[in-house]
Amino acid sequence: MSDQQLGYREPGKIAPVNIPHPVRLAAACWVASAVVAGMMPVILEVAGIDFGQSIPDWAVPYLVAFAVPLTALQVLAAQHLLHGARWARILLTVAAALSAIGAPVDLTALILAGLVLTLAGATLMWLPASNRFFLLRRDPAYPVPAAAANTAGPLS
């Protein structure tokens, strides 16, 4: 696929309409996972609502201190995924693996929904259409325009 087919408007920019559907769906799954598995348990725990996975009262501040920044990082990475950032795909893949390994044995509906969304997002990021998108986005973050590189003359 050429740059024109991908919808480049200017060097380094891709038109949002040409992001493959699996990549869009993966980003949506990651954001939904951040809400369902990242923030909802924290909100329910702080509010004192029993959702089946209660933690000791002394651990609630630590839950908030870790869950909020990690959830924000997950949402940020999901947004960068839409721009073809390979670091975001790798970071989210590691997050999915850690979520699957660290999932409690006694899953509640909330935790299970978050885990399903996480694994769906991770799978969608690595489908063939997604791989082509990330391979074509191997441009450097700040490409040097070809015209400027070819017209540079000797310093006088």
Side-chain angles (χ1 to χ4, degrees), residues 52-150:
Q53 293 280 342
S54 64
I55 63 170
D57 289 339
W58 62 266
V60 172
Y62 296 106
L63 175 68
V64 173
F66 285 105
V68 172
L70 290 176
T71 301
L73 179 61
Q74 182 175 328
V75 170
L76 178 69
Q79 293 305 310
H80 281 277
L81 197 67
L82 294 171
H83 297 286
R86 291 176 310 217
W87 66 265
R89 186 163 76 151
I90 292 167
L91 178 76
L92 292 170
T93 301
V94 170
L98 292 174
S99 294
I101 291 169
V105 177
D106 185 23
L107 293 174
T108 64
L110 188 63
I111 301 298
L112 182 62
L115 186 60
V116 167
L117 286 167
T118 297
L119 295 177
T123 303
L124 288 165
M125 293 186 310
W126 292 97
L127 291 178
S130 301
N131 285 336
R132 281 191 300 276
F133 174 70
F134 285 101
L135 284 173
L136 290 171
R137 295 294 295 153
R138 287 198 170 188
D139 301 11
Y142 302 100
V144 176
N150 292 336

Coordinates of all heavy atoms in Angstrom, one line a residue, residues 52-150:
G52 N -17.4 -8.7 45.1 CA -16.9 -10.1 45.1 C -15.4 -10.2 45.3 O -14.9 -11.2 45.5
Q53 N -14.7 -9.1 45.1 CA -13.2 -9.1 45.3 C -12.8 -8.0 46.3 O -12.3 -7.0 45.9 CB -12.5 -8.9 43.9 CG -12.7 -9.9 42.9 CD -11.8 -11.1 43.2 OE1 -10.8 -11.0 43.9 NE2 -12.1 -12.2 42.6
S54 N -13.1 -8.2 47.5 CA -12.8 -7.2 48.5 C -11.4 -7.3 48.9 O -10.8 -8.4 49.0 CB -13.8 -7.2 49.7 OG -13.6 -8.4 50.4
I55 N -10.8 -6.2 49.3 CA -9.4 -6.1 49.8 C -9.5 -5.5 51.2 O -10.4 -4.8 51.5 CB -8.5 -5.4 48.9 CG1 -8.9 -3.9 48.7 CG2 -8.4 -6.0 47.5 CD1 -7.9 -3.1 48.0
P56 N -8.4 -5.7 52.0 CA -8.4 -5.1 53.3 C -8.5 -3.6 53.2 O -8.0 -3.0 52.2 CB -7.1 -5.5 53.9 CG -6.6 -6.6 53.1 CD -7.3 -6.5 51.7
D57 N -9.0 -2.9 54.2 CA -9.2 -1.5 54.2 C -7.8 -0.7 54.1 O -7.7 0.3 53.5 CB -9.9 -1.0 55.5 CG -11.4 -1.4 55.5 OD1 -11.9 -1.6 54.4 OD2 -12.0 -1.4 56.5
W58 N -6.8 -1.3 54.7 CA -5.5 -0.7 54.7 C -4.9 -0.6 53.3 O -4.0 0.2 53.0 CB -4.5 -1.3 55.7 CG -4.2 -2.8 55.3 CD1 -4.9 -3.9 55.8 CD2 -3.3 -3.3 54.4 NE1 -4.3 -5.0 55.3 CE2 -3.4 -4.7 54.4 CE3 -2.3 -2.7 53.6 CZ2 -2.6 -5.5 53.6 CZ3 -1.5 -3.5 52.8 CH2 -1.6 -4.9 52.8
A59 N -5.4 -1.5 52.4 CA -4.8 -1.6 51.1 C -5.5 -0.7 50.0 O -5.0 -0.6 48.9 CB -4.8 -3.1 50.6
V60 N -6.6 -0.1 50.4 CA -7.3 0.7 49.4 C -6.5 1.9 48.9 O -6.5 2.1 47.7 CB -8.7 1.1 50.0 CG1 -9.4 2.1 49.1 CG2 -9.6 -0.1 50.3
P61 N -5.8 2.6 49.8 CA -5.0 3.7 49.2 C -3.9 3.2 48.2 O -3.6 3.9 47.2 CB -4.3 4.4 50.4 CG -5.2 3.9 51.6 CD -5.8 2.6 51.2
Y62 N -3.4 2.1 48.5 CA -2.4 1.5 47.6 C -3.0 1.1 46.3 O -2.4 1.3 45.2 CB -1.6 0.3 48.2 CG -0.9 0.7 49.4 CD1 -1.3 0.4 50.7 CD2 0.3 1.4 49.3 CE1 -0.6 0.8 51.8 CE2 1.0 1.8 50.4 CZ 0.6 1.5 51.7 OH 1.3 1.9 52.8
L63 N -4.2 0.6 46.3 CA -5.0 0.2 45.1 C -5.2 1.4 44.3 O -4.9 1.4 43.1 CB -6.3 -0.4 45.5 CG -7.2 -0.7 44.3 CD1 -6.7 -1.9 43.5 CD2 -8.6 -1.1 44.9
V64 N -5.6 2.5 44.9 CA -5.8 3.8 44.2 C -4.5 4.3 43.6 O -4.4 4.7 42.4 CB -6.5 4.8 45.1 CG1 -6.6 6.2 44.4 CG2 -7.9 4.3 45.5
A65 N -3.5 4.3 44.4 CA -2.2 4.8 44.0 C -1.6 4.1 42.8 O -0.9 4.7 41.9 CB -1.2 4.8 45.1
F66 N -1.8 2.8 42.7 CA -1.3 2.0 41.5 C -2.3 1.9 40.4 O -1.9 2.0 39.2 CB -0.9 0.6 42.0 CG 0.4 0.6 42.8 CD1 0.3 0.4 44.1 CD2 1.6 0.8 42.1 CE1 1.5 0.4 44.9 CE2 2.8 0.8 42.9 CZ 2.7 0.6 44.2
A67 N -3.6 1.8 40.7 CA -4.6 1.6 39.6 C -4.8 2.8 38.7 O -4.9 2.7 37.5 CB -5.9 1.1 40.2
V68 N -4.8 4.0 39.3 CA -5.1 5.2 38.5 C -4.0 5.5 37.5 O -4.3 5.6 36.3 CB -5.4 6.4 39.5 CG1 -5.5 7.7 38.7 CG2 -6.7 6.1 40.3
P69 N -2.7 5.5 37.9 CA -1.7 5.8 36.9 C -1.6 4.7 35.9 O -1.3 5.0 34.7 CB -0.4 5.9 37.7 CG -0.8 6.1 39.1 CD -2.2 5.5 39.3
L70 N -1.7 3.4 36.3 CA -1.6 2.3 35.3 C -2.8 2.4 34.3 O -2.6 2.1 33.1 CB -1.5 1.0 36.0 CG -0.2 0.7 36.8 CD1 -0.3 -0.6 37.5 CD2 1.0 0.8 35.8
T71 N -3.9 2.7 34.8 CA -5.1 2.8 33.9 C -4.9 4.0 32.9 O -5.2 3.9 31.7 CB -6.4 3.0 34.7 OG1 -6.5 1.9 35.6 CG2 -7.6 3.1 33.8
A72 N -4.4 5.1 33.4 CA -4.1 6.2 32.5 C -3.1 5.9 31.5 O -3.2 6.3 30.3 CB -3.6 7.4 33.4
L73 N -2.0 5.1 31.9 CA -1.0 4.7 30.9 C -1.6 3.7 29.9 O -1.3 3.8 28.7 CB 0.1 4.0 31.7 CG 1.2 3.4 30.8 CD1 1.9 4.6 30.0 CD2 2.2 2.7 31.6
Q74 N -2.6 2.9 30.3 CA -3.2 2.0 29.3 C -4.1 2.8 28.3 O -4.0 2.5 27.1 CB -4.1 1.0 30.1 CG -4.8 0.0 29.2 CD -5.6 -1.0 30.1 OE1 -5.2 -1.4 31.2 NE2 -6.6 -1.5 29.5
V75 N -4.8 3.8 28.8 CA -5.6 4.6 27.9 C -4.7 5.4 26.9 O -4.9 5.5 25.7 CB -6.5 5.5 28.7 CG1 -7.2 6.5 27.7 CG2 -7.6 4.7 29.4
L76 N -3.6 5.9 27.4 CA -2.6 6.6 26.6 C -2.0 5.7 25.5 O -1.9 6.1 24.4 CB -1.5 7.2 27.5 CG -0.4 8.0 26.7 CD1 -1.0 9.3 26.1 CD2 0.7 8.3 27.6
A77 N -1.6 4.5 25.9 CA -1.1 3.6 25.0 C -2.1 3.2 23.9 O -1.8 3.0 22.7 CB -0.6 2.3 25.7
A78 N -3.4 3.0 24.3 CA -4.4 2.7 23.4 C -4.6 3.8 22.3 O -4.9 3.5 21.2 CB -5.7 2.4 24.1
Q79 N -4.5 5.1 22.8 CA -4.6 6.2 21.8 C -3.4 6.2 20.9 O -3.6 6.5 19.7 CB -4.7 7.5 22.6 CG -6.0 7.6 23.4 CD -7.2 7.4 22.5 OE1 -7.4 8.0 21.5 NE2 -8.1 6.6 23.0
H80 N -2.2 5.9 21.4 CA -1.1 5.9 20.5 C -1.1 4.7 19.5 O -0.5 4.7 18.5 CB 0.2 5.8 21.3 CG 0.6 7.2 21.8 ND1 1.3 8.1 21.1 CD2 0.3 7.8 23.0 CE1 1.4 9.2 21.8 NE2 0.9 9.1 23.0
L81 N -1.8 3.6 19.9 CA -2.0 2.5 19.1 C -2.6 2.9 17.7 O -2.3 2.4 16.7 CB -2.9 1.5 19.8 CG -2.9 0.0 19.3 CD1 -1.6 -0.6 19.6 CD2 -4.0 -0.7 20.1
L82 N -3.6 3.8 17.8 CA -4.3 4.3 16.6 C -3.3 5.1 15.7 O -3.7 5.2 14.5 CB -5.4 5.2 17.0 CG -6.6 4.6 17.8 CD1 -7.5 5.6 18.3 CD2 -7.3 3.5 16.9
H83 N -2.2 5.5 16.2 CA -1.2 6.2 15.3 C -0.1 5.3 14.9 O 0.9 5.8 14.3 CB -0.7 7.4 16.1 CG -1.7 8.4 16.4 ND1 -2.3 9.3 15.4 CD2 -2.4 8.7 17.5 CE1 -3.2 10.0 16.0 NE2 -3.3 9.7 17.3
G84 N -0.2 4.0 15.2 CA 0.8 3.1 14.7 C 2.0 3.0 15.6 O 3.1 2.5 15.2
A85 N 1.9 3.4 16.9 CA 3.1 3.4 17.8 C 3.4 1.9 18.2 O 2.6 1.3 18.8 CB 2.8 4.2 19.0
R86 N 4.5 1.4 17.7 CA 4.9 0.0 18.1 C 5.1 -0.1 19.5 O 4.8 -1.2 20.1 CB 6.1 -0.4 17.2 CG 5.7 -0.5 15.8 CD 7.0 -0.8 15.0 NE 8.0 0.2 15.4 CZ 8.9 0.7 14.6 NH1 8.9 0.4 13.4 NH2 9.7 1.6 15.0
W87 N 5.6 0.9 20.2 CA 5.9 0.8 21.6 C 4.6 0.5 22.4 O 4.6 -0.2 23.4 CB 6.6 2.0 22.2 CG 5.8 3.3 22.1 CD1 5.8 4.2 21.2 CD2 4.8 3.7 23.1 NE1 4.9 5.2 21.5 CE2 4.3 4.9 22.6 CE3 4.4 3.2 24.3 CZ2 3.4 5.7 23.3 CZ3 3.4 3.9 25.0 CH2 2.9 5.1 24.5
A88 N 3.5 1.1 21.9 CA 2.2 1.0 22.6 C 1.7 -0.5 22.4 O 1.2 -1.1 23.3 CB 1.2 1.9 22.0
R89 N 1.9 -1.0 21.2 CA 1.5 -2.4 21.0 C 2.3 -3.4 21.9 O 1.7 -4.3 22.5 CB 1.7 -2.8 19.5 CG 1.1 -4.1 19.2 CD 0.9 -4.3 17.7 NE 2.1 -4.5 17.0 CZ 2.2 -5.3 15.8 NH1 1.1 -5.8 15.3 NH2 3.3 -5.4 15.2
I90 N 3.6 -3.1 22.0 CA 4.4 -4.0 22.9 C 4.0 -3.8 24.4 O 3.8 -4.8 25.1 CB 5.9 -3.7 22.7 CG1 6.3 -4.2 21.2 CG2 6.7 -4.4 23.7 CD1 7.6 -3.7 20.8
L91 N 3.8 -2.6 24.8 CA 3.4 -2.3 26.2 C 2.1 -3.0 26.5 O 1.9 -3.6 27.6 CB 3.4 -0.8 26.4 CG 2.9 -0.4 27.8 CD1 4.1 -0.6 28.8 CD2 2.5 1.0 27.8
L92 N 1.1 -2.9 25.6 CA -0.2 -3.4 25.9 C -0.2 -5.0 25.8 O -0.9 -5.6 26.5 CB -1.2 -2.9 24.9 CG -1.5 -1.4 25.1 CD1 -2.3 -0.8 23.9 CD2 -2.2 -1.2 26.4
T93 N 0.7 -5.5 25.0 CA 0.9 -7.0 24.9 C 1.4 -7.5 26.3 O 0.9 -8.5 26.8 CB 1.8 -7.4 23.8 OG1 1.2 -6.9 22.6 CG2 1.9 -8.9 23.7
V94 N 2.4 -6.8 26.8 CA 3.0 -7.2 28.1 C 1.9 -7.0 29.2 O 1.7 -7.9 30.1 CB 4.2 -6.3 28.5 CG1 4.6 -6.5 29.9 CG2 5.3 -6.7 27.5
A95 N 1.1 -6.0 29.1 CA 0.0 -5.8 30.1 C -1.0 -6.9 30.0 O -1.5 -7.4 31.0 CB -0.7 -4.4 29.9
A96 N -1.3 -7.4 28.8 CA -2.3 -8.5 28.6 C -1.7 -9.8 29.2 O -2.4 -10.5 29.9 CB -2.6 -8.6 27.1
A97 N -0.4 -10.0 29.0 CA 0.2 -11.2 29.5 C 0.2 -11.2 31.0 O -0.2 -12.2 31.7 CB 1.6 -11.4 29.0
L98 N 0.5 -10.0 31.6 CA 0.5 -9.9 33.1 C -0.9 -10.1 33.7 O -1.1 -10.6 34.7 CB 1.2 -8.6 33.5 CG 2.7 -8.5 33.2 CD1 3.2 -7.1 33.6 CD2 3.4 -9.5 34.0
S99 N -1.9 -9.5 32.9 CA -3.3 -9.6 33.4 C -3.7 -11.1 33.4 O -4.4 -11.5 34.3 CB -4.2 -8.8 32.5 OG -3.9 -7.4 32.6
A100 N -3.4 -11.8 32.3 CA -3.8 -13.2 32.2 C -3.1 -14.1 33.3 O -3.7 -14.9 33.9 CB -3.5 -13.8 30.9
I101 N -1.8 -13.8 33.5 CA -1.1 -14.6 34.5 C -1.5 -14.2 35.9 O -1.7 -15.1 36.8 CB 0.5 -14.3 34.4 CG1 1.0 -14.9 33.1 CG2 1.2 -14.9 35.6 CD1 2.4 -14.5 32.7
G102 N -1.8 -12.9 36.2 CA -2.2 -12.5 37.5 C -3.6 -12.5 37.8 O -4.1 -12.0 38.9
A103 N -4.5 -13.0 36.9 CA -5.9 -13.1 37.2 C -6.2 -14.0 38.4 O -5.6 -15.1 38.5 CB -6.6 -13.6 36.0
P104 N -7.1 -13.5 39.3 CA -7.4 -14.4 40.4 C -8.2 -15.6 40.0 O -8.8 -15.7 38.9 CB -8.3 -13.5 41.3 CG -8.8 -12.4 40.4 CD -7.8 -12.3 39.3
V105 N -8.0 -16.7 40.7 CA -8.7 -18.0 40.4 C -10.2 -17.8 40.5 O -11.0 -18.3 39.7 CB -8.2 -19.1 41.3 CG1 -8.9 -20.4 41.0 CG2 -6.7 -19.3 41.2
D106 N -10.7 -17.1 41.5 CA -12.1 -16.9 41.7 C -12.5 -15.6 41.0 O -12.5 -14.5 41.6 CB -12.4 -16.8 43.2 CG -13.9 -16.7 43.5 OD1 -14.7 -17.1 42.6 OD2 -14.2 -16.2 44.6
L107 N -12.9 -15.7 39.7 CA -13.2 -14.5 39.0 C -14.6 -14.0 39.2 O -15.5 -14.8 39.2 CB -13.0 -14.8 37.5 CG -11.6 -15.1 37.0 CD1 -11.6 -15.5 35.5 CD2 -10.7 -13.8 37.1
T108 N -14.7 -12.7 39.4 CA -16.0 -12.1 39.5 C -16.4 -11.7 38.0 O -15.6 -11.7 37.1 CB -16.0 -10.8 40.3 OG1 -15.2 -9.9 39.7 CG2 -15.6 -11.1 41.7
A109 N -17.7 -11.4 37.8 CA -18.1 -11.0 36.5 C -17.4 -9.7 36.0 O -17.0 -9.6 34.8 CB -19.6 -10.7 36.5
L110 N -17.1 -8.8 36.9 CA -16.4 -7.6 36.5 C -14.9 -7.9 36.1 O -14.5 -7.4 35.1 CB -16.4 -6.6 37.7 CG -15.8 -5.2 37.5 CD1 -16.7 -4.5 36.5 CD2 -15.8 -4.4 38.8
I111 N -14.2 -8.7 36.9 CA -12.9 -9.0 36.5 C -12.8 -9.9 35.3 O -11.9 -9.7 34.4 CB -12.2 -9.8 37.7 CG1 -12.2 -9.0 39.0 CG2 -10.8 -10.3 37.4 CD1 -11.4 -7.7 38.9
L112 N -13.8 -10.8 35.1 CA -13.8 -11.6 33.9 C -14.1 -10.8 32.7 O -13.4 -11.0 31.6 CB -14.9 -12.7 34.0 CG -15.0 -13.6 32.9 CD1 -13.7 -14.4 32.7 CD2 -16.2 -14.6 33.1
A113 N -15.0 -9.8 32.7 CA -15.2 -8.9 31.6 C -14.0 -8.1 31.2 O -13.7 -8.0 30.1 CB -16.4 -8.0 32.0
G114 N -13.3 -7.6 32.2 CA -12.1 -6.9 32.0 C -11.0 -7.7 31.3 O -10.3 -7.3 30.4
L115 N -10.9 -9.0 31.8 CA -9.9 -9.9 31.2 C -10.2 -10.3 29.8 O -9.4 -10.3 28.9 CB -9.8 -11.2 32.1 CG -8.7 -12.2 31.7 CD1 -7.4 -11.5 31.8 CD2 -8.8 -13.4 32.7
V116 N -11.5 -10.5 29.5 CA -11.9 -10.8 28.1 C -11.6 -9.6 27.2 O -11.1 -9.7 26.1 CB -13.4 -11.1 28.1 CG1 -14.0 -11.1 26.7 CG2 -13.7 -12.5 28.7
L117 N -11.9 -8.4 27.7 CA -11.6 -7.2 26.9 C -10.1 -7.0 26.6 O -9.7 -6.7 25.5 CB -12.2 -5.9 27.5 CG -13.7 -5.8 27.5 CD1 -14.2 -4.7 28.4 CD2 -14.1 -5.4 26.0
T118 N -9.4 -7.3 27.7 CA -7.9 -7.2 27.6 C -7.4 -8.2 26.5 O -6.6 -7.8 25.7 CB -7.3 -7.4 28.9 OG1 -7.7 -6.4 29.8 CG2 -5.8 -7.4 28.9
L119 N -7.8 -9.4 26.6 CA -7.3 -10.4 25.7 C -7.8 -10.2 24.3 O -7.1 -10.5 23.3 CB -7.7 -11.8 26.2 CG -7.0 -12.2 27.6 CD1 -7.5 -13.6 28.0 CD2 -5.5 -12.2 27.5
A120 N -9.0 -9.7 24.2 CA -9.5 -9.3 22.8 C -8.7 -8.2 22.2 O -8.3 -8.3 21.0 CB -11.0 -8.9 22.9
G121 N -8.4 -7.2 23.0 CA -7.6 -6.1 22.5 C -6.2 -6.6 22.1 O -5.7 -6.2 21.1
A122 N -5.6 -7.4 22.9 CA -4.3 -8.0 22.6 C -4.3 -8.8 21.3 O -3.4 -8.7 20.5 CB -3.7 -8.8 23.8
T123 N -5.3 -9.6 21.1 CA -5.4 -10.4 19.9 C -5.6 -9.6 18.7 O -4.9 -9.8 17.7 CB -6.6 -11.4 20.1 OG1 -6.3 -12.2 21.3 CG2 -6.7 -12.3 18.9
L124 N -6.5 -8.6 18.8 CA -6.8 -7.8 17.6 C -5.5 -7.0 17.2 O -5.4 -6.7 16.0 CB -7.9 -6.8 17.9 CG -9.3 -7.5 18.0 CD1 -10.3 -6.5 18.7 CD2 -9.8 -7.9 16.7
M125 N -4.7 -6.6 18.1 CA -3.5 -5.8 17.7 C -2.5 -6.6 16.9 O -1.6 -6.0 16.2 CB -2.7 -5.4 19.0 CG -3.3 -4.5 19.9 SD -2.3 -3.9 21.2 CE -1.6 -5.4 21.9
W126 N -2.6 -8.0 16.9 CA -1.6 -8.8 16.2 C -2.2 -9.5 15.0 O -1.6 -10.4 14.4 CB -1.0 -9.8 17.2 CG -0.1 -9.1 18.2 CD1 -0.5 -8.7 19.4 CD2 1.2 -8.6 18.0 NE1 0.5 -8.0 20.0 CE2 1.6 -8.0 19.1 CE3 2.1 -8.7 16.9 CZ2 2.9 -7.4 19.3 CZ3 3.4 -8.1 17.1 CH2 3.7 -7.5 18.2
L127 N -3.4 -9.2 14.6 CA -4.0 -9.8 13.4 C -3.2 -9.3 12.1 O -2.6 -8.3 12.2 CB -5.5 -9.4 13.2 CG -6.4 -10.0 14.3 CD1 -7.8 -9.5 14.1 CD2 -6.4 -11.5 14.3
P128 N -3.3 -10.0 11.0 CA -2.6 -9.6 9.8 C -2.8 -8.2 9.4 O -1.9 -7.5 9.0 CB -3.0 -10.6 8.7 CG -3.4 -11.8 9.5 CD -4.0 -11.3 10.8
A129 N -4.0 -7.7 9.4 CA -4.3 -6.3 9.0 C -3.6 -5.3 9.9 O -3.1 -4.3 9.5 CB -5.8 -6.1 8.9
S130 N -3.6 -5.7 11.2 CA -2.9 -4.8 12.2 C -1.4 -4.8 11.9 O -0.8 -3.8 12.0 CB -3.2 -5.3 13.6 OG -4.6 -5.2 13.8
N131 N -0.9 -6.0 11.7 CA 0.6 -6.1 11.4 C 1.0 -5.3 10.2 O 2.0 -4.6 10.3 CB 0.9 -7.6 11.2 CG 1.0 -8.4 12.5 OD1 1.1 -7.8 13.5 ND2 0.8 -9.7 12.3
R132 N 0.2 -5.3 9.1 CA 0.5 -4.5 8.0 C 0.5 -3.0 8.3 O 1.3 -2.2 7.9 CB -0.5 -4.8 6.8 CG -0.2 -6.0 6.1 CD -1.1 -6.1 4.8 NE -2.5 -6.1 5.1 CZ -3.2 -7.2 5.4 NH1 -2.7 -8.3 5.5 NH2 -4.5 -7.1 5.6
F133 N -0.5 -2.6 9.1 CA -0.6 -1.2 9.5 C 0.7 -0.8 10.3 O 1.3 0.3 10.0 CB -1.8 -1.0 10.4 CG -2.0 0.4 11.0 CD1 -2.3 1.5 10.3 CD2 -1.8 0.5 12.4 CE1 -2.4 2.7 10.8 CE2 -2.0 1.8 13.0 CZ -2.3 2.9 12.2
F134 N 1.1 -1.6 11.3 CA 2.3 -1.2 12.1 C 3.5 -1.3 11.2 O 4.5 -0.5 11.5 CB 2.3 -2.1 13.3 CG 1.3 -1.7 14.4 CD1 0.2 -2.5 14.5 CD2 1.5 -0.6 15.2 CE1 -0.8 -2.1 15.4 CE2 0.6 -0.3 16.1 CZ -0.6 -1.0 16.2
L135 N 3.6 -2.2 10.3 CA 4.8 -2.3 9.4 C 4.9 -1.1 8.5 O 6.0 -0.6 8.3 CB 4.8 -3.6 8.6 CG 5.1 -4.9 9.3 CD1 4.9 -6.1 8.4 CD2 6.5 -4.8 9.8
L136 N 3.8 -0.6 8.0 CA 3.8 0.6 7.2 C 4.0 1.9 7.9 O 4.4 2.9 7.4 CB 2.5 0.7 6.4 CG 2.3 -0.4 5.3 CD1 0.9 -0.3 4.8 CD2 3.3 -0.2 4.2
R137 N 3.9 1.8 9.2 CA 4.1 3.0 10.1 C 5.5 3.1 10.6 O 5.7 3.7 11.6 CB 3.0 3.1 11.2 CG 1.6 3.2 10.8 CD 1.3 4.5 10.1 NE 1.5 5.5 11.1 CZ 1.9 6.8 10.8 NH1 2.0 7.1 9.6 NH2 2.0 7.7 11.7
R138 N 6.4 2.4 10.0 CA 7.8 2.4 10.5 C 8.5 3.7 10.3 O 9.7 3.8 10.5 CB 8.6 1.3 9.9 CG 8.2 -0.1 10.5 CD 9.2 -1.1 10.2 NE 8.8 -2.3 11.0 CZ 9.5 -3.3 11.1 NH1 10.7 -3.4 10.5 NH2 9.1 -4.3 11.8
D139 N 7.8 4.7 9.8 CA 8.5 6.0 9.6 C 9.0 6.5 10.9 O 8.4 6.3 11.9 CB 7.4 7.0 9.1 CG 6.8 6.6 7.8 OD1 6.9 5.5 7.4 OD2 6.1 7.5 7.2
P140 N 10.1 7.3 10.8 CA 10.6 7.9 12.1 C 9.5 9.0 12.5 O 8.7 9.4 11.7 CB 11.9 8.6 11.7 CG 11.9 8.6 10.2 CD 11.0 7.5 9.7
A141 N 9.6 9.3 13.8 CA 8.6 10.2 14.3 C 8.6 11.6 13.7 O 7.6 12.2 13.5 CB 8.8 10.4 15.8
Y142 N 9.8 12.0 13.3 CA 10.0 13.3 12.7 C 10.8 13.1 11.4 O 12.0 13.3 11.3 CB 10.7 14.3 13.6 CG 9.9 14.5 14.9 CD1 10.3 13.8 16.0 CD2 8.8 15.3 14.9 CE1 9.6 14.0 17.2 CE2 8.1 15.5 16.1 CZ 8.5 14.8 17.2 OH 7.8 15.0 18.4
P143 N 10.1 12.7 10.3 CA 10.8 12.4 9.1 C 11.4 13.7 8.5 O 10.8 14.7 8.5 CB 9.8 11.8 8.2 CG 8.5 12.3 8.7 CD 8.7 12.5 10.2
V144 N 12.6 13.5 7.9 CA 13.2 14.6 7.1 C 12.6 14.6 5.7 O 12.6 13.6 5.1 CB 14.7 14.4 7.0 CG1 15.3 15.5 6.2 CG2 15.3 14.4 8.4
P145 N 12.0 15.7 5.3 CA 11.4 15.8 3.9 C 12.5 15.4 2.9 O 13.6 15.9 3.0 CB 10.9 17.2 3.8 CG 10.8 17.7 5.2 CD 11.8 17.0 6.0
A146 N 12.1 14.6 1.9 CA 13.1 14.2 0.9 C 13.6 15.4 0.1 O 14.8 15.4 -0.2 CB 12.4 13.3 -0.1
A147 N 12.8 16.4 -0.1 CA 13.3 17.6 -0.9 C 14.4 18.3 -0.1 O 15.4 18.8 -0.6 CB 12.1 18.5 -1.2
A148 N 14.2 18.5 1.2 CA 15.2 19.2 2.1 C 16.5 18.4 2.2 O 17.6 18.9 2.2 CB 14.6 19.4 3.5
A149 N 16.4 17.1 2.2 CA 17.6 16.2 2.3 C 18.4 16.3 1.0 O 19.6 16.2 1.0 CB 17.2 14.8 2.6
N150 N 17.7 16.4 -0.2 CA 18.4 16.4 -1.5 C 19.0 17.7 -1.8 O 19.8 17.8 -2.7 CB 17.5 15.9 -2.5 CG 17.1 14.4 -2.4 OD1 17.9 13.7 -1.7 ND2 16.0 14.0 -2.9

